[in-house]
Amino acid sequence: MESGTSLERMVFFSDAVFAIALTLLALDLKLPEGMAAAQLDGALVDALPELFAYALSFVIIAKTWLSHHSDFALIRHFTPTLAWLNLALLFFIAMLPAPTSVLSEYGDDPTPWPSILYATNIAAIYLLMAVIWSYARHAKLMDPGMTAHVHRRVFTARMAVPAVFLLSIRPRSS
């Protein structure tokens, strides 16, 4: 990528959004204020669902950022369509702290909405990663050395994640 190109700017902007999303995840991790030291053990145990949701979302965002980085190392050309697809991806990356918070706060409640929101958000992220990957290949934006075999392998892996998360959505029995 040449310095100052639209592609380079898009990648730098994407990196910033990923970093902000990771930071926003951590802001939701809090213990109650003003508690006695004797209550700390119980408060830490009570915070485990929030910590688990944070860790899972952190790994998902980090893995997505690593994949995004690898993808854009192979993408050589910029188009407005690529930019819009990338912005759609960043929308769901930036949104992930909200369903993470809902899941950690209300995941044990009988309503299925916390897990539905969370699974749908993750599925959207990976579907958009697959769409960007395919669009870049079919629009001939990628390094010409990218083989069809590698493209299919990456695309299939990307499609497995949304399948798992969408299949995890099941109505809860009352």
Side-chain angles (χ1 to χ4, degrees):
M1 286 185 282
E2 294 177 21
S3 179
T5 66
S6 295
L7 186 60
E8 183 179 64
R9 290 178 50 116
M10 185 176 66
V11 170
F12 287 154
F13 177 73
S14 300
D15 287 347
V17 172
F18 279 100
I20 290 167
L22 288 171
T23 302
L24 290 175
L25 281 174
L27 294 178
D28 205 37
L29 296 174
K30 296 177 223 154
L31 291 175
E33 291 184 29
M35 74 177 142
Q39 297 172 307
L40 182 59
D41 290 349
L44 289 171
V45 169
D46 291 343
L48 285 177
E50 288 87 1
L51 185 59
F52 176 75
Y54 164 79
L56 179 60
S57 293
F58 185 95
V59 167
I60 288 168
I61 292 174
K63 177 69 175 127
T64 305
W65 177 77
L66 289 168
S67 296
H68 189 271
H69 178 73
S70 296
D71 291 358
F72 279 86
L74 294 169
I75 296 173
R76 303 284 190 241
H77 306 288
F78 174 87
T79 66
T81 301
L82 179 65
W84 280 109
L85 290 171
N86 192 64
L87 285 168
L89 169 68
L90 296 178
F91 172 86
F92 288 103
I93 292 292
M95 187 193 307
L96 189 56
T100 301
S101 180
V102 171
L103 182 66
S104 67
E105 185 69 27
Y106 302 103
D108 289 339
D109 290 352
T111 179
W113 288 109
S115 58
I116 290 171
L117 290 171
Y118 190 79
T120 303
N121 199 132
I122 301 298
I125 288 169
Y126 277 87
L127 285 170
L128 282 161
M129 288 292 290
V131 168
I132 289 169
W133 181 252
S134 282
Y135 170 75
R137 170 86 172 157
H138 294 292
K140 300 188 183 342
L141 305 179
M142 298 186 105
D143 184 316
M146 168 60 60
T147 66
H149 170 73
V150 170
H151 179 266
R152 265 191 314 277
R153 186 171 44 86
V154 171
F155 181 79
T156 302
R158 297 269 168 83
M159 293 304 291
V161 175
V164 168
F165 274 90
L166 290 175
L167 289 172
S168 75
I169 299 173
R170 293 192 181 122
R172 295 184 185 189
S173 56
S174 302

